[in-house]
Amino acid sequence: MPLKEIGFSLGLSIDSSALASRSINTITPSGCFNTDISGLVRVINAQSIEFESVSILGSGATARSILIALEAFDFPGPVTIYRRNESRDELLPKSGRFAIETRSLVDFASADLKEDHLVVSTLPSTNQGVVSEGLRGFKGTFVDFSYAPWPSTLAKIVSGTVISGLPILVSQAVDQAALFSGLEFDRDDVYREILSSTVRSMAATE
């Protein structure tokens, strides 16, 4: 970040998920990949998150990865993307699984968010103030790709389940380790162990 589109200019093979999301975060001699997608899927499954509709804050490369990741789950939708401007709407992947709506970021303040709603933020912590009123007291599930500083502006005001970007960072890194090494191992077990040890290490330094 913010070079997730540069990999397309390198002339390497591109994994289907990276191609679908138009976003690359992992480059190896054998090709280009997007582990943000598999990383988020693993976190949602590990946390047993259930949802009926989704809002995504932001419309860049990470938001496109989220849309592809959501294809792995059975929910009625819709997915609403709140963004600053519509200039990148044409880059958003289409889905045959759920409806995708786009709205201005300022409209999020009046969004009707239920407890079975999932909100995923791709906004840097420094830019979250513009949507804070829309999440004040929110009782659903909030996933924030930001992990430093933590808690983020939005994480502080959500009343429901809050998941930081740290589990996603660890999860996608496990997939990167497999891609870099060429080794096969139980990625879910390794994810749980590394996340647990990371959380313990962070707590010890506080």
Side-chain angles (χ1 to χ4, degrees), residues 21 23 34 36-37 40 60-70:
S21 63
S23 176
N34 184 342
D36 284 337
I37 297 171
L40 179 59
T62 303
R64 297 197 299 270
S65 299
I66 294 167
L67 283 173
I68 299 301
L70 290 173

Side-chain angles (χ1 to χ4, degrees), residues 2 6 41 71 103 108 113 129 143 153 157 164 184:
I6 297 300
V41 170
E71 292 275 357
R103 296 182 183 176
F108 185 70
L113 304 179
V143 177
T153 300
I157 61 177
S164 79
E184 283 303 322

Side-chain angles (χ1 to χ4, degrees), residues 161-179:
T161 301
V162 176
I163 300 171
S164 79
L166 179 62
I168 301 170
L169 184 69
V170 171
S171 182
Q172 59 91 14
V174 168
D175 290 331
Q176 287 177 331
L179 290 169

Side-chain angles (χ1 to χ4, degrees), residues 15 30 61 97 127 135 144 160 169 177 179 192 198 205:
D15 175 74
S30 63
R97 295 286 304 279
N127 294 341
L135 276 175
D144 193 342
L169 184 69
L179 290 169
R192 288 189 290 267
T198 301
T205 61

Side-chain angles (χ1 to χ4, degrees), residues 45 49-53 69-77 97-98:
N45 284 328
I49 299 173
E50 297 183 359
F51 52 92
E52 295 294 314
S53 54
L70 290 173
E71 292 275 357
F73 302 95
D74 183 19
F75 69 103
R97 295 286 304 279
F98 43 79

